[in-house]
Amino acid sequence: MSSSNSPCAACKYLRRKCTQECDFAPYFLPESPQRFANVHRVFGASNVAKLLKELNATDREDAVKSLAYEAESRIKDPVYGCVGLISMLQQRLKEIQHELHAAKKELSSYNLNPQTMQYLLTHPGTVI
């Protein structure tokens, strides 16, 4: 149970008494009720409770953070969840790598010595 004697977000959401042995209390603080609501909506309270019991105490905080992030992502994008965001970022990374490769290729075509190249890189906007 939380230190202020108010029930944790999970117990408040589930409308049950929050005890000292509550598995959810350390991870679902009363100040952030939406975090548990999202996790409950996507994964269910019993599944989260089972998962927390199976994990080492040192891994539970990270697991809850991951569950909360995935739940929020899944609510925003029910089909792909956070995988959609990861895919978008990977695609953007490929585009930027391609642009960087093209810029390096263009720079190499100028056949400049290393000192001139260094000067141009440290002084953007300089025209040759």
Side-chain angles (χ1 to χ4, degrees), residues 28 34-45 48 64 67-69 71-72 75:
F28 297 103
Q34 192 60 44
R35 184 180 190 194
F36 180 77
N38 292 344
V39 170
H40 179 265
R41 180 175 168 190
V42 174
F43 299 106
V48 174
V64 169
L67 289 171
Y69 184 79
E72 186 177 330
I75 289 169

Side-chain angles (χ1 to χ4, degrees), residues 10 21 29 34 37 43 45 49 53 63 66-67 78 84-85 90 93 96-98 100-101 115 118:
E21 297 81 31
L29 303 176
Q34 192 60 44
F43 299 106
K53 287 181 181 180
S66 294
L67 289 171
L85 179 60
Q90 285 177 332
L93 180 61
I96 291 170
Q97 287 172 333
H98 179 72
L100 180 60
H101 177 72
Q115 291 81 13
Q118 184 63 36

Side-chain angles (χ1 to χ4, degrees), residues 6-128:
S6 62
C8 70
C11 290
K12 188 171 184 174
Y13 184 87
L14 299 171
R15 296 183 177 156
R16 64 183 192 192
K17 184 174 172 65
C18 193
T19 64
Q20 293 286 51
E21 297 81 31
C22 178
D23 294 327
F24 296 119
Y27 314 107
F28 297 103
L29 303 176
E31 298 84 37
S32 53
Q34 192 60 44
R35 184 180 190 194
F36 180 77
N38 292 344
V39 170
H40 179 265
R41 180 175 168 190
V42 174
F43 299 106
S46 63
N47 290 329
V48 174
K50 287 176 196 174
L51 178 72
L52 290 176
K53 287 181 181 180
E54 290 176 6
L55 292 173
N56 294 326
T58 57
D59 297 330
R60 291 178 187 161
E61 181 69 31
D62 288 336
V64 169
K65 287 178 184 177
S66 294
L67 289 171
Y69 184 79
E70 176 60 32
E72 186 177 330
S73 298
R74 194 56 70 170
I75 289 169
K76 289 178 183 174
D77 183 353
V79 176
Y80 294 108
C82 65
V83 173
L85 179 60
I86 292 168
S87 296
M88 181 189 70
L89 291 172
Q90 285 177 332
Q91 181 61 34
R92 185 67 185 126
L93 180 61
K94 286 179 185 178
E95 292 168 3
I96 291 170
Q97 287 172 333
H98 179 72
E99 290 174 17
L100 180 60
H101 177 72
K104 285 181 178 180
K105 187 175 179 181
E106 182 180 342
L107 279 173
S108 69
S109 71
Y110 291 118
N111 201 13
L112 301 174
N113 67 40
Q115 291 81 13
T116 305
M117 182 68 78
Q118 184 63 36
Y119 179 81
L120 291 173
L121 290 174
T122 57
H123 297 86
T126 304
V127 180
I128 302 175

